[in-house]
């Protein structure tokens, strides 16, 4: 079935106090007590549902998306991601690392494989699987979805599972492009995390190369 098919079902969103993953719910409660004025809830996707491009990250960072409620906003990783989106015309406005900065995404939406903050930024396999219905629903609610950009191996695998594909059939490589059975093109990039950029596993030109591939496919 093509992912371009619309669904009548409402977009599936984790509840603000989602209890599906006990470890993540306990960590959220801890962080709510520590930082009561911050977002501390499953982070919703950002950008228009009409977009052709969906970017899938890993999970919110503690003082980034988990504090602000917008993916990659306040996270170190967001600096490179949003500057690249602005450079490639996939965003307009100014990125000020705050959800009220007025930044708008153009033909692009951003979500995470896991919606809640995981301890040490490491969700377990079970937690990734439990969050899969939310990613699937996201796909079904993007009638023009054409390209899914996976930031890192966990996002790559989550996209494959959500699309009903065998993981062994699609190897993750930076800049790798995969045509999926559901009509979507999966394009991989190393995650734009602080660790990857400081170790130079991912440089800005390498990240931009992937956006060149994406732009040529849109
Ligand atoms: N912030 C997010 O929202 N997702 C990531 O994968 C990293 C930081």
């Amino acid at each position: 079935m093509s992912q371009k098919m619309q669904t009548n079902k409402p977009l599936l969103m984790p509840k603000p106090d989602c209890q599906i993953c006990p470890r993540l719910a306990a960590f959220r409660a801890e962080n709510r007590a520590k930082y009561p004025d911050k977002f501390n809830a499953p982070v919703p996707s950002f950008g228009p549902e009409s977009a052709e491009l969906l970017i899938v990250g890993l999970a919110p960072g503690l003082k980034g998306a988990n504090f602000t409620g917008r993916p990659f906003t306040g996270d170190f990783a967001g600096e490179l991601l949003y500057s690249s989106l602005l450079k490639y015309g996939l965003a307009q406005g100014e990125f000020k690392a705050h959800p009220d900065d007025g930044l708008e995404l153009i033909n692009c939406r951003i979500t995470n494989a896991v919606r809640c903050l995981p301890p040490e930024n490491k969700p377990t396999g079970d937690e990734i699987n439990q969050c899969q219905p939310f990613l699937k629903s996201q796909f079904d609610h993007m009638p023009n979805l054409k390209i899914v950009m996976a930031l890192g191996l966990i996002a790559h695998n989550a996209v494959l599972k959500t699309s009903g594909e065998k993981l062994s059939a699609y190897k993750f490589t930076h800049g790798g492009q995969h045509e999926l059975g559901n009509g979507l093109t999966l394009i991989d990039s190393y995650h734009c995390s602080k660790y990857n950029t400081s170790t130079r596993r991912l440089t800005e030109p390498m990240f931009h190369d992937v956006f060149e591939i994406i732009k040529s496919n849109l």
Side-chain angles (χ1 to χ4, degrees):
M1 186 177 75
S2 164
Q3 292 289 354
K4 290 184 180 166
M5 221 156 139
Q6 290 255 30
T7 173
N8 295 325
K9 293 186 195 155
L11 178 66
L12 197 59
M13 296 271 294
K15 295 198 180 96
D17 203 20
C18 183
Q19 298 291 320
I20 297 172
C21 304
R23 190 182 73 121
L24 301 188
F27 195 44
R28 183 190 315 125
E30 233 177 76
N31 282 307
R32 273 203 189 139
K34 252 196 238 170
Y35 310 107
D37 55 335
K38 302 296 183 191
F39 185 75
N40 292 305
V43 174
S45 307
F46 172 46
E49 285 187 354
S50 59
E52 291 175 291
L53 170 65
L54 177 66
I55 299 175
V56 182
L58 168 59
L62 172 64
K63 295 190 175 169
N66 179 65
F67 270 16
T68 64
R70 194 175 77 178
F72 290 90
T73 299
D75 296 281
F76 179 89
E79 300 292 328
L80 179 54
L81 178 60
Y82 284 108
S83 68
S84 302
L85 294 177
L86 284 161
K87 175 178 166 70
Y88 285 94
L90 293 162
Q92 66 183 12
E94 204 183 337
F95 175 64
K96 292 193 195 147
H98 192 277
D100 297 335
D101 57 13
L103 187 88
E104 279 177 43
L105 298 187
I106 301 169
N107 202 17
C108 166
R109 191 163 161 87
I110 308 177
T111 195
N112 280 305
V114 174
R115 300 296 185 97
C116 292
L117 169 73
E120 293 168 17
N121 293 325
K122 284 190 190 120
T124 65
D126 270 0
E127 289 160 356
I128 298 164
N129 291 340
Q130 297 281 22
C131 226
Q132 208 173 290
F134 303 111
L135 185 59
K136 172 79 174 73
S137 178
Q138 187 58 92
F139 283 12
D140 293 341
H141 277 263
M142 294 184 67
N144 305 313
L145 183 60
K146 211 171 151 186
I147 298 177
V148 182
M149 179 191 200
L151 295 177
L153 179 63
I154 289 179
H156 166 93
N157 286 343
V159 171
L160 290 177
K161 284 192 190 173
T162 300
S163 302
E165 298 284 1
K166 264 190 165 174
L167 302 193
S168 58
Y170 303 90
K171 191 171 157 43
F172 175 87
T173 55
H174 181 73
Q177 196 171 322
H178 312 281
E179 303 308 327
L180 306 184
N182 55 14
L184 298 178
T185 301
L186 167 62
I187 298 181
D188 293 330
S189 169
Y190 289 133
H191 193 287
C192 46
S193 64
K194 188 172 190 174
Y195 179 82
N196 282 348
T197 49
S198 58
T199 56
R200 299 192 64 77
R201 172 185 280 259
L202 179 71
T203 61
E204 187 175 76
M206 282 170 71
F207 200 48
H208 289 171
D209 287 346
V210 181
F211 279 99
E212 295 283 349
I213 298 171
I214 290 171
K215 284 297 278 193
S216 68
N217 276 273
L218 283 175

